[in-house]
Amino acid sequence: MALSDKFYQAGFDAMKRRDFEEAEENFKTALSYKHDHSKTLLQYGLLLQNQRNDFEGAVDVWRGAAEGMLKNKYHVQMLCCLSVVLTKIYKDYDSAERYYKLALETDNAHVNSLVNYGLFLATVRFDYDQAAVMLKRAIRADPHRTKINNGGYLLQELLSRNDPPTEEQKEKARQKSPPKAVRRMSSMAALN
């Protein structure tokens, strides 16, 4: 096992024990051995976001890694997390959408990205037709719904409404924080 993998695993184990100081130290050490270690970059960004409330640091970690990394499941999840933070914290909707699309270009069956992008389309862009397409693709990718989280069920509920929102409701929604499911989407990335 490579040193970067050993330090990643030690950091991941420390996260499980809620020893965030040790986790951060191990993640930084793993990255010193391999600066593009995708699992470490994903989890380190999550640590910064969820434990340190350092959204800017998380965005820096993920954005710096997002464009130049090998495409794998951790890279796709990182793009999804980055999109959520850009939506939730920075309201940078155009960049968020660009990263969702990049994630789905890399893995067009990534359930978390499909659901989260569907929620984004429904709650930010109010494009219910495309949101429905994303939900159908997520269900096709996960027919037993083992990976479709609460966000998928929220999206299904949003799409089942008969009355589309008025322009006034859309503007009001843009001013508020995204729904609770959107706020927590990127914290659902505990991968090992």
Side-chain angles (χ1 to χ4, degrees):
M1 179 182 275
L3 285 174
S4 57
D5 292 327
K6 287 182 180 181
F7 282 103
Y8 161 76
Q9 191 59 54
F12 191 83
D13 292 342
M15 288 271 289
K16 286 186 202 176
R17 293 190 315 273
R18 304 191 58 76
D19 185 345
F20 304 117
E21 298 296 327
E22 182 182 331
E24 185 169 15
E25 185 177 312
N26 280 297
F27 290 152
K28 286 179 177 179
T29 303
L31 291 171
S32 74
Y33 285 105
K34 188 171 189 233
H35 73 278
D36 62 348
H37 194 265
S38 55
K39 291 191 287 187
T40 302
L41 290 164
L42 172 61
Q43 292 300 330
Y44 183 45
L46 288 169
L47 180 142
L48 292 172
Q49 173 191 313
N50 297 330
Q51 306 308 320
R52 304 277 190 252
N53 288 322
D54 182 1
F55 297 100
E56 188 174 328
V59 166
D60 287 345
V61 166
W62 292 329
R63 188 175 270 165
E67 304 289 338
M69 290 184 54
L70 295 172
K71 308 299 189 238
N72 60 37
K73 68 181 181 179
Y74 303 103
H75 177 259
V76 173
Q77 187 63 43
M78 198 177 325
L79 291 169
C80 185
C81 292
L82 175 58
S83 296
V84 170
V85 172
L86 290 172
T87 300
K88 173 186 164 189
I89 302 301
Y90 297 102
K91 298 187 187 283
D92 183 354
Y93 302 132
D94 292 336
S95 294
E97 188 163 24
R98 183 169 61 89
Y99 286 116
Y100 276 130
K101 288 178 178 179
L102 184 58
L104 292 170
E105 284 172 20
T106 304
D107 181 353
N108 65 3
H110 188 258
V111 175
N112 206 15
S113 294
L114 289 166
V115 169
N116 291 339
Y117 187 40
L119 278 168
F120 172 88
L121 289 169
T123 60
V124 174
R125 300 289 193 218
F126 301 100
D127 186 345
Y128 292 106
D129 292 338
Q130 282 303 306
V133 168
M134 293 301 126
L135 179 60
K136 287 176 187 170
R137 285 175 57 191
I139 291 169
R140 231 184 350 247
D142 184 24
H144 301 292
R145 298 181 183 209
T146 57
K147 296 179 183 174
I148 295 178
N149 54 38
N150 291 339
Y153 297 109
L154 175 62
L155 179 56
Q156 201 166 15
E157 182 183 314
L158 284 170
L159 296 175
S160 69
R161 294 180 182 166
N162 292 332
D163 299 325
T166 65
E167 288 303 315
E168 182 180 322
Q169 289 170 323
K170 289 179 184 180
E171 187 55 37
K172 195 174 189 180
R174 284 187 187 101
Q175 302 305 317
K176 295 189 327 186
S177 294
K180 190 174 186 179
V182 176
R183 290 196 308 263
R184 292 192 327 204
M185 286 185 294
S186 65
S187 66
M188 297 178 194
L191 298 172
N192 190 8

